Amino acid sequence: RCMLLGRRGLLHLAMLRAVRTMSTAPAAAGRIRRTDDPIIVRSQELRRLNPSALSLAQGVVHWAPPPEAVAEAVASPAVHSYSPDDGLPPLCEALSAELRHRHALDAVDVMVTSGANQAFMNVVSALVDAEDPVVVFAPYYFNHVMALQMTGASPERLRVGGRDAETYEPDLEFLRRELAGGARMAVVTNPCNPSGVMLRRSTLEAASAMCAEAGAWLVVDNTYAHFAHEPERLPHACVQGEHVLNIFSFSKAYGMMGWRVGYVAYPPRLREPLLKAQDTIAICCPTPSQSLALACLRLGDTWVQEHVARLRDARAVVEGALEPLQEAGGRVYGGSGAIYLFAELPAALSASASLRPRLAEALGAAGLPPDDAAPLDQVLGDYLALVHGVMVVPGSACGNATPSLRLSYANAPLAVLQEAAQRLRRGLGAAAAMAAAPGEAATA
């Protein structure tokens, strides 16, 4: 009996210890808990729930790098070793020439990174502290804000401005006020992810002048620099200065998403702080990826220009699917740059009291539990993915106050995109019917 009680006692003690361990187990850092959930991961999870869904969500292109460049990139045994932290010397030299000739950036050094996102993380880690106010403009690129949150920026320190209702360019008066109030950095994308709007040179120059006068950094993400769809009216432009850092990427133009190559053009005096971030985070961009980037540059611009030109038809297909939304009073922005259209829902949908419960009802039938706290456009995105088989990014993930959708028109060949657009049109039409007919049951 004593042995039995002892065993029971030991079992009870083990249970108590387990409970205590659960209650005192260390938690993730507060800054990571305060970081927004990655919307692209959510899209991937929706894709697992509906494998037949077609994607207008993730910002990728449907082409692969030039095969001859890939063959050249992996031919040398040197690709198995580290490169210098800031990149292979031949690649850095080629990028410096590219920056001079294409972007008129001649007073900069270059650092090659594992994608543009790592370039941005290097910049944020090196140049701003957690207490420094940083200005972004909604709708913003979600990974920029996540990087700022992850490095400690509080909601009070993240200053989110809006955009002009007509041009959808950043609100420069907001920037002026925030700089006067002590903002240390402003972040813009050009052309814009998520809106697909190419910024005018005058807008960039004005933002640069404001930041220079205030002693603040200007960070410009030029990931989609090659994607200028109206070059005569709105060519891609860059600005430079002792306070300006320009970020670029190979992912989109050259179809190198999985190879992870980006780079940052920066004032030479920032080499040491940026190298500290680079050596800690990645040491160097993978050497095979750098070799491929160099091989792509040697092939010239024609290959990229041909692929980008073909996106005109793709953009028109997705724009066509959004016509009913526009006819109902919604706004569609973009088309001058990048690979996105950004659609703000009409008031008839966003203000409807019946739309959310009916979307939730349809999602419940599809196997997704309701989330009453989710923004309306996220619920609509879930509905489009699971019920109609087309995935989008909700604008709320980009900080947009008006329910909206980001749509990518480059991530599938035209025939697949046409089917995705048809699904989108059907899904938005069904949602409009739900909003307009509150007495009827939710239908697909």
Side-chain angles (χ1 to χ4, degrees), residues 85 109-111 113 118-127 245 264-281:
D85 277 24
D109 280 351
V110 175
M111 178 176 291
T113 58
Q118 195 226 319
F120 187 75
M121 182 62 82
N122 282 6
V123 168
V124 169
S125 300
L127 301 185
L245 297 95
V264 55
Y266 63 92
R269 65 189 176 91
L270 297 180
R271 176 177 169 79
E272 182 177 345
L274 287 173
L275 276 175
K276 288 181 180 180
Q278 175 83 340
D279 192 71
T280 302
I281 296 173

Side-chain angles (χ1 to χ4, degrees), residues 234-259:
L234 282 173
H236 178 263
C238 286
V239 292
Q240 66 178 337
E242 282 297 304
H243 61 295
V244 180
L245 297 95
N246 282 282
I247 292 172
F248 299 87
S249 175
F250 279 84
S251 292
K252 317 303 180 181
Y254 292 97
M256 288 176 55
M257 290 76 64
W259 291 84

Side-chain angles (χ1 to χ4, degrees), residues 61-67 69-70 95 98 102 223 226-227 249-259 261 263 292-305 307-308:
V61 299
H62 64 83
W63 55 83
V70 175
L95 289 174
E98 173 89 352
R102 175 184 288 276
T223 289
H226 285 87
F227 295 81
S249 175
F250 279 84
S251 292
K252 317 303 180 181
Y254 292 97
M256 288 176 55
M257 290 76 64
W259 291 84
V261 185
Y263 57 104
L292 175 58
L294 179 58
C296 286
L297 285 177
R298 287 171 174 164
L299 290 176
D301 283 347
T302 302
W303 186 90
V304 172
Q305 291 170 353
H307 282 79
V308 171

Side-chain angles (χ1 to χ4, degrees), residues 144-190:
H144 285 167
V145 167
M146 291 172 67
L148 291 163
Q149 294 167 331
M150 199 176 297
T151 50
S154 66
E156 295 76 24
R157 297 298 182 186
L158 193 61
R159 309 294 172 82
V160 182
R163 294 178 183 269
D164 182 272
E166 294 302 319
T167 67
Y168 229 50
E169 290 192 324
D171 181 350
L172 294 186
E173 286 307 310
F174 176 87
L175 176 59
R176 190 189 305 277
R177 292 193 300 271
E178 292 301 323
L179 291 170
R184 287 275 295 151
M185 176 181 285
V187 180
V188 296
T189 58
N190 184 43

Side-chain angles (χ1 to χ4, degrees), residues 1-9:
R1 180 180 294 180
C2 290
M3 185 177 294
L4 181 60
L5 289 173
R7 287 176 178 171
R8 287 177 177 171

